[in-house]
Amino acid sequence: TVVFVGLVYPWVGSWKWGGGWLDQMGFYDFAGSTLVHSVGGWAALAGVLLLGPRLGKYDGNGVRAIPGSNMPLATIGVFLLWLGWFGFNGGSVLSADPGPVSFTLVTTCLAAAAGVVAAFFTSQIVQKKPDLSMVLNGALAGLVGITAGADSVSVMSSIIIGLVAGVLVVLAVITIDSKLKLDDPVGALSVHLVCGIWGTLAVGIFSPDHSVVTQLIGIVAYGVVTFVSALVIFSVVKAVMGLRVSTEEELKGLDLGEHGMEAYAGFQILTTD
């Protein structure tokens, strides 16, 4: 984390936000659909590939769901992120001008809401049940998707961007988890990488001042460099100290292994029995 955030993020970030070569080409990313989110998503992909799946996740040809332990807390966490995004996107205006700040807040909120609606109905159609975890990811998908163009696309376009992101995130979670068999417990690849790419492309699609081709060049450049950089960093960590905990520690839980206590008292006893 220290190496990637301390060295890689500033380096690649300067290509756009530092007046670098992508900025001179006309590449646009207002608050970081690519520079923040997909850069992290590419790093996550490298980590997932080197780390491997959790024990018991893929048995034979089947896929075993390993859900989170507390959906109400997950929901509260997403609402906190949604609120924080107003500072994230609104602050990226870099002024207190009420016009552009208010406009950015509106497009941000509508994209998130549209992501919720789209993920709800997509999960209902695909999984035959409205999956809360998918709905929460839909909100984040809409937020990530609008981040690149929150100041430059229309209000209606922001809703469309959120709707597409909400559909994409559900399909991406299922594809990555079940088809590609990449164990991504929190859907980071689907939310940050897939929807980060979509949001960056959407600027070229919905903003008349920007080009899809230029946006695509930026996406590819960031993808290649950040994925390779993260792969090297994770490989060094794996060679020097290892990426995985022991099998025993994984089975008992990292709360015990890392902190010497359980988040849910007696949970291990119940699951063992």
Side-chain angles (χ1 to χ4, degrees), residues 33 144-149 161 194-204 215:
S33 285
V144 170
I146 195 59
T147 295
I161 290 170
V194 173
C195 292
I197 291 172
W198 157 242
T200 307
L201 282 175
V203 173
Q215 296 299 102

Side-chain angles (χ1 to χ4, degrees), residues 226-262:
T226 55
F227 176 76
V228 172
S229 299
L231 198 63
V232 170
I233 294 170
F234 277 122
S235 296
V236 171
V237 172
K238 185 174 183 178
V240 173
M241 57 182 290
L243 284 176
R244 291 190 75 112
V245 297
S246 66
T247 299
E248 181 183 7
E249 189 174 351
E250 184 173 344
L251 291 173
K252 286 186 176 180
L254 296 187
D255 286 339
L256 286 172
E258 299 290 335
H259 305 288
M261 63 179 67
E262 291 179 295

Side-chain angles (χ1 to χ4, degrees), residues 135-256:
V135 170
L136 297 177
N137 275 337
L140 299 179
L143 290 165
V144 170
I146 195 59
T147 295
D151 68 326
S152 58
V153 301
S154 68
V155 171
M156 183 56 66
S157 295
S158 73
I159 296 173
I160 297 172
I161 290 170
L163 289 172
V164 174
V167 174
L168 283 176
V169 76
V170 174
L171 300 180
V173 166
I174 294 171
T175 300
I176 291 169
D177 188 61
S178 303
K179 307 298 183 183
L180 301 180
K181 294 192 174 179
L182 296 176
D183 188 13
D184 179 12
V186 297
L189 301 179
S190 304
V191 170
H192 297 283
L193 179 53
V194 173
C195 292
I197 291 172
W198 157 242
T200 307
L201 282 175
V203 173
I205 296 171
F206 294 102
S207 174
D209 299 327
H210 302 97
S211 163
V212 173
V213 174
T214 303
Q215 296 299 102
L216 187 59
I217 290 172
I219 290 168
V220 173
Y222 277 106
V224 171
V225 172
T226 55
F227 176 76
V228 172
S229 299
L231 198 63
V232 170
I233 294 170
F234 277 122
S235 296
V236 171
V237 172
K238 185 174 183 178
V240 173
M241 57 182 290
L243 284 176
R244 291 190 75 112
V245 297
S246 66
T247 299
E248 181 183 7
E249 189 174 351
E250 184 173 344
L251 291 173
K252 286 186 176 180
L254 296 187
D255 286 339
L256 286 172

Side-chain angles (χ1 to χ4, degrees), residues 77-91:
V78 168
F79 284 146
L80 289 172
L81 284 167
W82 193 330
L83 177 63
W85 232 279
F86 294 143
F88 187 69
N89 282 2

Side-chain angles (χ1 to χ4, degrees), residues 95-143:
S95 78
D97 188 329
V101 170
S102 298
F103 180 81
T104 298
L105 299 185
V106 169
T107 56
T108 298
C109 195
L110 287 177
V116 167
V117 173
F120 177 93
F121 284 107
T122 304
S123 65
Q124 173 73 53
I125 293 169
V126 175
Q127 299 175 299
K128 310 306 179 187
K129 300 268 186 184
D131 187 326
L132 176 58
S133 65
M134 292 292 194
V135 170
L136 297 177
N137 275 337
L140 299 179
L143 290 165

